[in-house]
Structures are given as C-alpha cells and as structure tokens.
Amino acid sequence: MTERETTRLVAWSRELRQVHRRLRDALSVTRASLAEGAPGEAATRELLLYCHGFCAALDGHHRGEDRTLFPAIATAHPELRPVLRSLEEDHSMIAHLLGSLRAAVDRAAPPEELDRHLEGIAAIMENHFRYEERQLLTVLETLELAAVPGEVLGPI
C-alpha cells in the first residue's frame, strides 16, 4: 500500500469527524438564529433557511452512510452489523424528528416549540455521533472505499 493510499484510507475517519463538526455547527447556528430572532418576516425567512438547510444536510449525511458507507463496513467487518443496525435505527428516528421540525417550521410554530424540536434533535444527534465515532473511527482508518466523500457522508 502506498503512502497516498494510506492517507486516503485514514482520511475517511477525518472526513466523518469533520462532517459531524459541521452538522453540530449548523445546528448551533440554527438554534442561535431562533434565540436571537426578531419578530417579522425577515427573521422568519432566515429561520426557515437555517432549519431547512440543517435538515437537508443531516438527512443527506445519514442517507449517504446508509447507502454507501455502512454496506462497505458490513462487508469488511461483519462483526459490526449489530452496531450498523443500531446506527440505522438512529437515522430513522432522527429522520422522524426532522420531519416534525420541518412541519413545525412550515406552519410557523412559535419559537418555544421550534426550540423543543431542536433540543430533541440535538440530544439524539449528539448521542448518535459520539456512539458512531467510538464504534467506527478505527474501522474507517483502514476501510478501503473508493468513493467521493460528499456522496458518502453528505453534501455538507
């Protein structure tokens, strides 16, 4: 294995950590926008943009993992299939929570309700990211996967 190939393999663990950091940052910006939001149409548009952007990014990240990353890990490390199933179940639960948030944003729910949605997503998302990193980062340092990071880990 060449040094370049080793660097690409190790990069998958770095890529995952970076995507998780960017999603955490996006959630933080969304929550800050809600907390600081002044009443009025401009603030509502900004919140809609943040919420929809965050929802799309997190959903895209999970779909990419389910479609490409997790099958590659399952093939290389069949002993991790129970972990991957648990992570996929988390993805389903987070998708449901994101759908509820989108519906609340679309109907212009009050800020307190939106914050409750975001708080729930934040708690589950953080727990999911930490578990995923504990279970998979070492595996990702040796995973042979020839794919574009944005297609595997989402567009963010």
Side-chain angles (χ1 to χ4, degrees), residues 8 22 26 45 50 52 63 65 74 77 96 101 112 115 133 139 145 147:
R8 180 62 244 162
R22 289 192 300 264
R45 274 196 313 271
Y50 285 139
H52 284 296
R63 279 186 283 113
E65 286 182 333
H77 298 276
H96 174 74
L101 172 62
E112 302 79 26
D115 191 54
E133 290 170 3
V139 169
L145 178 61

Side-chain angles (χ1 to χ4, degrees), residues 29-42:
V29 167
T30 302
R31 294 191 78 193
S33 173
L34 179 61
E36 298 169 3
E41 194 176 313

Side-chain angles (χ1 to χ4, degrees), residues 32 46 49 53 62 65 69 72 82-83 121 125 137 139 142 147:
E46 185 174 301
L49 176 65
H62 288 160
E65 286 182 333
L69 184 63
V83 169
I121 291 167
M125 184 182 86
L137 285 182
V139 169
T142 60

Side-chain angles (χ1 to χ4, degrees), residues 36-77:
E36 298 169 3
E41 194 176 313
T44 302
R45 274 196 313 271
E46 185 174 301
L47 180 59
L48 283 168
L49 176 65
Y50 285 139
C51 284
H52 284 296
F54 167 73
C55 290
L58 184 57
D59 190 51
H61 170 64
H62 288 160
R63 279 186 283 113
E65 286 182 333
D66 291 346
R67 182 181 55 246
T68 306
L69 184 63
F70 290 176
I73 292 172
T75 298
H77 298 276

Side-chain angles (χ1 to χ4, degrees), residues 21-138:
R21 181 187 46 76
R22 289 192 300 264
L23 286 166
R24 285 177 177 114
D25 291 347
L27 179 60
S28 178
V29 167
T30 302
R31 294 191 78 193
S33 173
L34 179 61
E36 298 169 3
E41 194 176 313
T44 302
R45 274 196 313 271
E46 185 174 301
L47 180 59
L48 283 168
L49 176 65
Y50 285 139
C51 284
H52 284 296
F54 167 73
C55 290
L58 184 57
D59 190 51
H61 170 64
H62 288 160
R63 279 186 283 113
E65 286 182 333
D66 291 346
R67 182 181 55 246
T68 306
L69 184 63
F70 290 176
I73 292 172
T75 298
H77 298 276
E79 73 280 7
L80 290 175
R81 286 189 175 139
V83 169
L84 299 172
R85 271 193 302 277
S86 176
L87 291 169
E88 288 170 341
E89 288 171 6
D90 285 354
H91 291 173
S92 179
M93 182 184 343
I94 291 169
H96 174 74
L97 294 173
L98 290 173
S100 295
L101 172 62
R102 281 187 196 106
V105 168
D106 289 344
R107 65 177 164 73
E112 302 79 26
E113 181 183 340
L114 295 174
D115 191 54
R116 283 192 303 273
H117 285 285
L118 291 169
E119 180 66 29
I121 291 167
I124 292 173
M125 184 182 86
E126 188 58 36
N127 184 57
H128 172 79
F129 285 174
R130 287 180 185 200
Y131 179 71
E132 187 173 60
E133 290 170 3
R134 278 193 317 273
Q135 297 296 318
L136 300 184
L137 285 182
T138 302

